[in-house]
Amino acid sequence: MHRLKHAILLWIFFATLFGVIARYVFDEASLADKAWIIGVTPVLIWVVWDIIKSLRHKNLGVDFIAALAIGGALLLAEYLAAAVITLMYASGQSLEQYAANRAKRELTALLSRVPTMADRYVNGTLESVPVSQLQPGDRLVIKTGAVLPVDGYVSGSTATLDESSLTGESLPVTHTEGQAASSGTLNIGQPFDLITVHDAANSAYAGIVRLVQEAQKGKAPFTRMADRYALWFIPLTLMVAGGAWLFSGDPVRALAVLVVATPCPLILAAPIAMVAGISTAARQGLLIKNGAALEALANSERIILDKTGTLTTGNPRLVDIETDDTFSHEEILQLAASLEQASFHVVSNAIVESAKQRSLPLIIPKHVEDVAGNGVQGMINDQQVMIGQSSWVLDSNQTPAPDWIASLLKRSSHNGQMLLLVSVDHQVRGALILQDEIRSDTPRALRSLRASGIQSLSMASGDQVEIAKSIGHALGMDHVYAGLHPDDKVKIVRQERQQGVTMMVGDGVNDAPALAIADIGVAMGAGGSGASSEAADAVLMVERIDVLADGLRIARRSQMIAKQSVVVGMALSIIAMLFAAFGYLTPLVGALLQEGIDVLVIINALRALRLPAGHYNILNVEQEEKLQKEHADLQSTLDQIRQLADRLASQQSVATEEMTELARMIEQKLIPHEQIDERQLHPELAHKMVGNDPMAMLSRTHGEILQLCNQYLSLVNQPHDEQQRNAMIGVLYSLSAILKLHFAQENELYSLLASDRHA
């Protein structure tokens, strides 16, 4: 369609130009009139057809005045005026179409990926069957280039899959025998066998497609700014034109009124400001799909943000392992990772990666059952192994929680951590503690959103209530919704929309239905899923949610400029209408005057391309990554500090060698890091920043950290009695808390100094 509109625009331009040359250069009036008629007629037909379609939906927009002006000019033989109006109208339509198609080039189609047939083994032979007939336990062959029709696990060989449609991962992913493979992914390697675990209706991808379709059908269409203004401008124009004709008896006066009333500011200024805003937002990393999405973004009052992958990194980190001493830490992790490699959950990847980092060999599990929302169970080396939520594991094994598990449950709940129990042959033998960390730019982004006028910030998560509330309260959320499924998120969005224009921000496949039903859905495109990007109205193309606050400011500024251009342009048009009504303007002069008004409002609309001046980057991206990597390398030291404090506080026995090893890490890694920051890095940053001693607060924190480190080093060398133990617990907990806060502050500072975010 947009190619057709561009072709029509070129057709009108050349027809108008040819007519002008024929009329004013060669004095061929008849030829000029024919050229203008030939150029104008296709657009008039196109406009009338659009009006008819709008009337079917009981809508009447600015196109109506344009059609009256073009048709009236043709009837009264004002062909050049008709050509000028037509050229202007087609230009505005092309700009609007350009805005609507800008983002579609970047996205894949969600619905087109749904397979309808599958190749299933039946009595040793293959038969092609409808996907709807597949049942759990069926063995399928997935050919090269085929999309997986249902969820399952790889059997008999390895599989190389393109998972970009679900995970956003651009690189191929290799799955070995026994590993889970999700529906909607594409086989780009050799054919392999798939054992189904769900039927088509219950597979992840099919469920998401169904919810997205339902959400999009139930979403009310957005009314263009131009059409909203047209509701009162059309009657006003018709009254003035009718009055001019009635009192003068001259239909040309009515035509002149229609010509100068042709809402050029609506047809041109608003789309130009919107396209400029879309372009500006794209430069900052927010891809907005069309002008309606930009308007919805500008009008947003409430925001719902998904937790995992949006507010947090989405990559849970294994921070601790506990056992009942029957198995070692490494053995518990090996069993858990071997079983989790057949699971679909994001936590599974963290456990598997932790095992690989420790070079633990993984075993292929058998008889795997993935219980949605609870955990995974299966056979490993003839042992029945379960890993999952504590309530599910304890209930399945029908055993009371041991004292050490009860203590862990309380501690992980207080710390906002995820606790997974591991049972072997129906006895709980270990626990894995994981934590999903808040993005370094999240607190600043939320502050910016509130400063931009957002009235309510809510967090939606599928995690347990305790974990979600811990993150939500730390971020100062107004509302925290936890334990949600995709359809629950849709209900939450509908509830929020009743209170104001609502934005939904998410990254996963399970967020796609909520993104589709929200007034404005924003997907995390850089690390999120292709399904969420397809369902959303805007896509964050960088792994920073502070860009969303920038996009909100850009959208509101663009909308303000568009309204400003429209109001000024329409005011000038109304003045011109009055002059035309009294016979001071002919249709042609009116068309040219309207072009002058166009130029003024277009120049004003183009201001949306500019951003307010920002600061120069104090750090470049490489420096920021280097500094944050230093903190990541010290994370193991921070984990050991907290783990040792917990064990001392729970009266567990702690070997002297463990305390000495921690002292060595503090002395060789942590203290030198803090000293370099205090003596070299921060003075260099302060020199480039504005203000007197801008790093003073962090400098004070460095002093506190170094003091606590030296206290611990002193305590390690003292006699190991109850007094020394209590003192060490206090020092370690204090050091753990202040280091966690300090590193978060520094990471946020480095992120800010390395960004080119504008005020």
Side-chain angles (χ1 to χ4, degrees):
M1 179 59 72
H2 65 284
R3 290 183 179 178
L4 176 61
K5 290 186 177 181
H6 288 319
I8 291 175
L9 178 60
L10 288 173
W11 171 267
I12 300 164
F13 174 76
F14 286 117
T16 304
L17 180 62
F18 180 81
V20 170
I21 293 173
R23 176 68 177 269
Y24 296 103
V25 177
F26 298 104
D27 196 24
E28 292 286 346
S30 177
L31 182 61
D33 290 344
K34 291 177 181 177
W36 292 326
I37 292 171
I38 291 172
V40 167
T41 303
V43 180
L44 181 58
I45 295 171
W46 167 24
V47 175
V48 171
W49 177 246
D50 280 347
I51 292 172
I52 293 172
K53 289 193 295 184
S54 298
L55 288 174
R56 289 176 182 171
H57 298 91
K58 299 181 181 180
N59 293 325
L60 188 62
V62 294
D63 303 341
F64 182 69
I65 298 177
L68 285 179
I70 296 170
L74 289 177
L75 289 174
L76 297 175
E78 295 286 347
Y79 302 122
L80 179 55
V84 172
I85 299 167
T86 304
L87 184 61
M88 172 203 63
Y89 177 84
S91 300
Q93 289 290 311
S94 295
L95 281 168
E96 207 163 21
Q97 189 65 48
Y98 169 77
N101 288 287
R102 178 180 177 88
K104 291 182 181 178
R105 298 190 301 267
E106 308 292 335
L107 302 171
T108 57
L110 173 68
L111 303 179
S112 63
R113 295 183 59 87
V114 182
T116 57
M117 302 294 291
D119 295 312
R120 179 175 64 182
Y121 285 100
V122 177
N123 298 325
T125 61
L126 280 176
E127 66 175 16
S128 183
V129 297
V131 170
S132 58
Q133 295 182 11
L134 297 179
Q135 297 296 325
D138 285 347
R139 178 181 289 270
L140 312 179
V141 61
I142 307 299
K143 299 177 180 177
T144 302
V147 174
L148 275 64
V150 293
D151 302 333
Y153 61 88
V154 179
S155 175
S157 62
T158 60
T160 304
L161 302 178
D162 174 3
E163 298 184 342
S164 58
S165 65
L166 291 184
T167 66
E169 174 59 57
S170 59
L171 298 176
V173 179
T174 300
H175 295 262
T176 57
E177 184 177 9
Q179 284 189 318
S182 182
S183 58
T185 55
L186 177 69
N187 180 23
I188 58 174
Q190 297 298 315
F192 67 93
D193 287 354
L194 182 79
I195 306 299
T196 64
V197 295
H198 295 131
D199 58 19
N202 294 313
S203 287
Y205 199 75
I208 296 302
V209 169
R210 183 171 58 253
L211 284 171
V212 170
Q213 288 175 321
E214 292 172 355
Q216 289 177 335
K217 288 178 182 177
K219 186 173 179 179
F222 193 89
T223 306
R224 296 184 307 167
M225 179 190 295
D227 293 335
R228 294 197 298 274
Y229 279 96
L231 291 176
W232 63 268
F233 191 70
I234 290 175
L236 176 65
T237 300
L238 295 178
M239 286 174 58
V240 175
W245 190 353
L246 179 64
F247 289 106
S248 69
D250 185 3
V252 175
R253 285 198 187 187
L255 174 61
V257 171
L258 291 175
V259 168
V260 295
T262 301
C264 314
L266 295 180
I267 296 172
L268 284 175
I272 287 174
M274 293 303 177
V275 171
I278 289 171
S279 177
T280 304
R283 295 203 309 269
Q284 295 296 99
L286 177 64
L287 196 64
I288 302 173
K289 294 185 179 181
N290 50 53
L294 186 78
E295 285 195 63
L297 178 62
N299 295 324
S300 295
E301 301 170 341
R302 313 176 71 84
I303 296 182
I304 304 171
L305 298 109
D306 175 56
K307 180 183 80 71
T308 306
T310 303
L311 294 172
T312 64
T313 61
N315 298 309
R317 185 173 59 85
L318 181 65
V319 296
D320 200 5
I321 302 172
E322 296 284 352
T323 74
D324 67 348
D325 296 329
T326 304
F327 293 87
S328 67
H329 287 194
E330 287 73 19
E331 288 171 332
I332 286 293
L333 180 58
Q334 182 188 37
L335 289 171
S338 296
L339 190 56
E340 288 285 13
Q341 66 181 326
S343 176
F344 298 98
H345 201 280
V346 65
V347 172
S348 306
N349 294 330
I351 296 172
V352 172
E353 286 302 313
S354 296
K356 289 180 178 178
Q357 289 172 5
R358 304 187 191 199
S359 302
L360 299 177
L362 300 186
I363 305 163
I364 297 175
K366 298 179 181 178
H367 309 299
V368 178
E369 182 183 359
D370 193 341
V371 182
N374 288 313
V376 190
Q377 61 183 346
M379 299 296 295
I380 299 177
N381 290 340
D382 297 326
Q383 293 176 308
Q384 177 69 30
V385 179
M386 297 181 68
I387 176 171
Q389 293 191 26
S390 55
S391 58
W392 178 68
V393 173
L394 293 172
D395 290 345
S396 299
N397 293 309
Q398 296 181 345
T399 58
D403 292 340
W404 65 278
I405 291 295
S407 174
L408 273 179
L409 286 170
K410 291 181 181 178
R411 193 176 81 202
S412 61
S413 176
H414 292 156
N415 296 336
Q417 296 170 323
M418 179 183 297
L419 181 67
L420 300 179
L421 297 185
V422 181
S423 73
V424 182
D425 289 334
H426 308 291
Q427 295 293 323
V428 179
R429 298 303 186 189
L432 304 181
I433 302 172
L434 299 98
Q435 188 152 25
D436 190 8
E437 297 176 335
I438 296 172
R439 292 179 184 271
S440 61
D441 61 309
T442 294
R444 185 173 70 255
L446 298 182
R447 292 195 300 270
S448 297
L449 288 169
R450 287 195 188 276
S452 299
I454 295 299
Q455 300 172 8
S456 172
L457 287 170
S458 302
M459 187 182 81
S461 173
D463 278 340
Q464 300 173 38
V465 174
E466 294 80 6
I467 296 174
K469 284 187 175 180
S470 174
I471 298 292
H473 292 159
L475 293 173
M477 288 289 175
D478 298 306
H479 306 284
V480 176
Y481 304 104
L484 304 178
H485 294 97
D487 54 341
D488 296 324
K489 290 185 178 181
V490 171
K491 294 176 184 176
I492 296 296
V493 172
R494 285 188 171 131
Q495 291 173 10
E496 291 282 332
R497 286 184 68 190
Q498 293 176 0
Q499 303 178 57
V501 179
T502 300
M503 181 194 311
M504 172 71 195
V505 186
D507 75 313
V509 172
N510 62 329
D511 298 317
L515 293 171
I517 197 65
D519 293 301
I520 171 75
V522 180
M524 301 289 289
S529 74
S532 62
S533 296
E534 177 66 26
D537 303 295
V539 182
L540 281 167
M541 301 307 294
V542 292
E543 283 291 325
R544 310 176 63 110
I545 66 166
D546 57 351
V547 172
L548 181 60
D550 294 335
L552 181 61
R553 287 193 292 270
I554 291 167
R556 289 187 170 168
R557 182 169 181 268
S558 300
Q559 186 185 56
M560 179 196 69
I561 291 172
K563 288 181 178 179
Q564 191 180 80
S565 299
V566 166
V567 170
V568 171
M570 289 176 65
L572 293 174
S573 294
I574 291 172
I575 293 171
M577 285 164 56
L578 296 176
F579 276 90
F582 287 103
Y584 295 110
L585 294 176
T586 65
L588 179 57
V589 173
L592 295 175
L593 177 61
Q594 188 59 265
E595 288 301 309
I597 296 173
D598 292 350
V599 171
L600 290 176
V601 296
I602 287 171
I603 291 173
N604 186 65
L606 289 174
R607 291 192 299 117
L609 284 170
R610 268 193 313 110
L611 278 173
H615 60 259
Y616 290 103
N617 293 0
I618 294 175
L619 292 173
N620 59 40
V621 175
E622 291 74 17
Q623 290 172 320
E624 178 200 7
E625 291 177 349
K626 177 178 178 293
L627 293 171
Q628 294 198 355
K629 185 178 183 302
E630 291 176 5
H631 286 170
D633 293 340
L634 285 168
Q635 189 61 53
S636 60
T637 304
L638 267 68
D639 291 342
Q640 289 192 32
I641 291 172
R642 182 60 187 239
Q643 291 166 19
L644 183 59
D646 288 339
R647 293 177 64 187
L648 288 170
S650 61
Q651 300 298 317
Q652 296 182 33
S653 60
V654 178
T656 303
E657 291 76 11
E658 292 183 52
M659 293 186 286
T660 305
E661 174 62 19
L662 179 58
R664 184 189 66 80
M665 295 179 69
I666 288 175
E667 197 168 17
Q668 295 183 4
K669 292 184 177 181
L670 186 57
I671 291 178
H673 169 80
E674 296 300 315
Q675 289 175 336
I676 291 173
D677 278 1
E678 175 65 21
R679 299 170 186 175
Q680 298 179 22
L681 174 64
H682 286 195
E684 291 176 7
L685 295 178
H687 181 69
K688 299 177 182 178
M689 296 169 68
V690 178
N692 182 25
D693 196 10
M695 307 296 283
M697 289 184 293
L698 291 179
S699 179
R700 181 68 186 86
T701 310
H702 288 155
E704 187 68 23
I705 291 170
L706 291 173
Q707 184 180 15
L708 288 168
C709 287
N710 287 322
Q711 286 180 17
Y712 177 77
L713 295 177
S714 175
L715 287 168
V716 168
N717 296 319
Q718 293 180 12
H720 295 178
D721 54 19
E722 189 66 21
Q723 185 177 2
Q724 182 252 19
R725 185 188 189 99
N726 291 335
M728 189 173 287
I729 290 171
V731 168
L732 288 174
Y733 275 130
S734 298
L735 187 57
S736 173
I738 197 170
L739 280 171
K740 184 177 180 181
L741 175 62
H742 181 61
F743 280 12
Q745 289 174 325
E746 286 189 325
N747 284 342
E748 185 175 342
L749 174 66
Y750 299 154
S751 176
L752 174 65
L753 297 181
S755 73
D756 57 356
R757 304 275 75 82
H758 293 73

